[in-house]
Amino acid sequence: MPTASTVDRPVRVYADGIFDLFHSGHARALMQAKTLFPNSYLLVGVCSDDLTHKFKGFTVMNEAERYEALRHCRYVDEVIRDAPWTLTPEFLEKHKIDFVAHDDIPYSSAGSDDVYKHIKEAGMFVPTQRTEGISTSDIITRIVRDYDVYARRNLQRGYTAKELNVSFINEKKYRFQNQVDKMKEKVKNVEERSKEFVNRVEEKSHDLIQKWEEKSREFIGNFLELFGPDGAWKQMFQERSSRMLQALSPKQSPVSSPTRSRSPSRSPSPTFTWLPNKTSPPSSPKAASASISSMSEGDEDEK
């Protein structure tokens, strides 16, 4: 039996399966088979629909779709169509297969407890690891579990009840549920828009209150600066009051004016000053007329 150290050509590794609903678990298994040896050639056998339906059950994808899915996997070098369910020495020799890669779980089928038992006994079996949480059966289980959801979705997308194998009553029920869901979605959108509007109003109110507080503090500060104990209005009032007091009670003029210096060369001009007689006023009209006549005589003497 050839080994990896004695083979001069690429090691030919074979992996087979149904590969229905090709998923990441399939791709990881093929990646492991491809990287078993530094230089390898991976052949992938895919069973036909007739063989699969006979030994395993109905598939979601037909054989042409499954072939095409494998052909686009980057780890696959060659796809063998209509692969046998149980590997025979003739099939191994025909394709010059060196090793068979598959997970190590016993695969009971076609009246055998493990269809890979003779491959393991021949030393040609290389185990791969399964990817937990993903398999074709898991995917189908999800679809069956959420059948109503997918049926309603496909009805909404234009598929007919006949294509979905849905009864008339279920079709009406699904369509009514779709209408209810649309109404719920509209209500939800209205609620979200209302919340957004309320949030915007609250933000604007907060901004307005903040601006009002700032303006209020500014107004109070300006008021105190103008009308406070030491404000500008008090100073201005005091200044105006002092000015009014000065206007109402001006300063007294000096009692005596400064005396001019007299020139010795020139004598002062004579001035005539009339001084009233400091005698007591006349006690009677006769006395008053006598005083007037005496003043008249005096003036005549001066002339």
Side-chain angles (χ1 to χ4, degrees):
M1 188 66 194
T3 60
S5 59
T6 58
V7 174
D8 295 333
R9 56 177 173 76
V11 179
R12 295 173 70 84
V13 180
Y14 177 79
D16 60 354
I18 309 303
F19 301 104
D20 192 18
L21 297 175
F22 188 79
H23 52 73
S24 61
H26 294 141
R28 287 177 63 86
L30 297 177
M31 178 190 69
Q32 295 176 55
K34 177 67 176 176
T35 57
L36 286 172
F37 304 100
N39 186 17
S40 63
Y41 185 85
L42 180 61
L43 302 94
V44 179
V46 183
C47 300
S48 64
D49 287 344
D50 292 339
L51 199 61
T52 302
H53 297 168
K54 179 180 178 181
F55 290 107
K56 189 173 183 178
F58 191 74
T59 59
V60 177
M61 301 169 64
N62 59 43
E63 60 185 38
E65 293 169 339
R66 293 184 285 116
Y67 297 154
E68 190 67 13
L70 266 299
R71 191 173 69 84
H72 290 284
C73 180
R74 63 175 178 172
Y75 304 114
V76 178
D77 295 309
E78 182 180 346
V79 176
I80 299 177
R81 303 188 176 200
D82 194 14
W85 197 258
T86 302
L87 300 179
T88 61
E90 292 79 16
F91 180 83
L92 299 174
E93 182 63 27
K94 176 183 177 182
H95 295 283
K96 297 181 175 57
I97 296 171
D98 299 319
F99 294 96
V100 176
H102 201 276
D103 62 80
D104 200 16
I105 300 174
Y107 199 82
S108 59
S109 182
S112 174
D113 294 336
D114 188 0
V115 294
Y116 297 103
K117 182 178 181 180
H118 63 289
I119 304 296
K120 294 175 181 178
E121 292 173 352
M124 297 175 62
F125 187 84
V126 182
T128 58
Q129 298 296 322
R130 292 177 65 91
T131 302
E132 296 296 331
I134 183 69
S135 67
T136 301
S137 298
D138 291 337
I139 296 174
I140 294 174
T141 299
R142 297 176 197 174
I143 296 172
V144 173
R145 180 190 61 196
D146 300 324
Y147 169 77
D148 289 349
V149 176
Y150 296 122
R152 288 167 52 191
R153 183 188 67 180
N154 287 354
L155 280 173
Q156 194 173 6
R157 291 181 175 180
Y159 289 89
T160 64
K162 184 177 180 180
E163 290 173 329
L164 296 173
N165 195 26
V166 173
S167 65
F168 176 81
I169 296 176
N170 286 336
E171 178 190 3
K172 298 303 178 184
K173 181 182 72 173
Y174 293 151
R175 293 192 183 279
F176 176 75
Q177 289 174 345
N178 287 337
Q179 294 296 328
V180 172
D181 288 345
K182 288 182 179 179
M183 185 62 65
K184 288 181 179 179
E185 189 67 23
K186 289 182 180 179
V187 172
K188 184 178 178 181
N189 292 335
V190 171
E191 290 178 351
E192 291 178 354
R193 292 177 182 176
S194 300
K195 289 180 180 179
E196 292 178 358
F197 176 75
V198 171
N199 292 333
R200 284 198 295 267
V201 170
E202 289 179 352
E203 291 176 358
K204 290 183 178 180
S205 300
H206 180 73
D207 294 339
L208 289 174
I209 292 172
Q210 187 175 3
K211 290 180 180 179
W212 181 82
E213 290 178 350
E214 293 175 356
K215 292 295 182 182
S216 298
R217 285 193 291 267
E218 183 180 355
F219 174 78
I220 293 171
N222 294 335
F223 182 85
L224 293 176
E225 184 178 356
L226 185 62
F227 298 102
D230 298 326
W233 178 260
K234 183 177 180 181
Q235 295 177 1
M236 183 176 64
F237 180 76
Q238 290 176 351
E239 291 177 359
R240 290 187 176 182
S241 299
S242 62
R243 290 176 184 174
M244 290 176 66
L245 290 174
Q246 291 177 1
L248 294 174
S249 58
K251 294 181 180 180
Q252 295 180 355
S253 59
V255 176
S256 60
S257 59
T259 306
R260 292 185 180 179
S261 60
R262 296 179 179 178
S263 175
S265 59
R266 298 180 62 182
S267 60
S269 60
T271 56
F272 299 93
T273 305
W274 179 78
L275 296 175
N277 197 4
K278 294 184 178 180
T279 58
S280 58
S283 59
S284 63
K286 292 181 178 181
S289 61
S291 62
I292 293 172
S293 61
S294 63
M295 289 176 61
S296 301
E297 292 177 356
D299 291 338
E300 291 177 354
D301 292 340
E302 287 179 357
K303 294 180 179 176

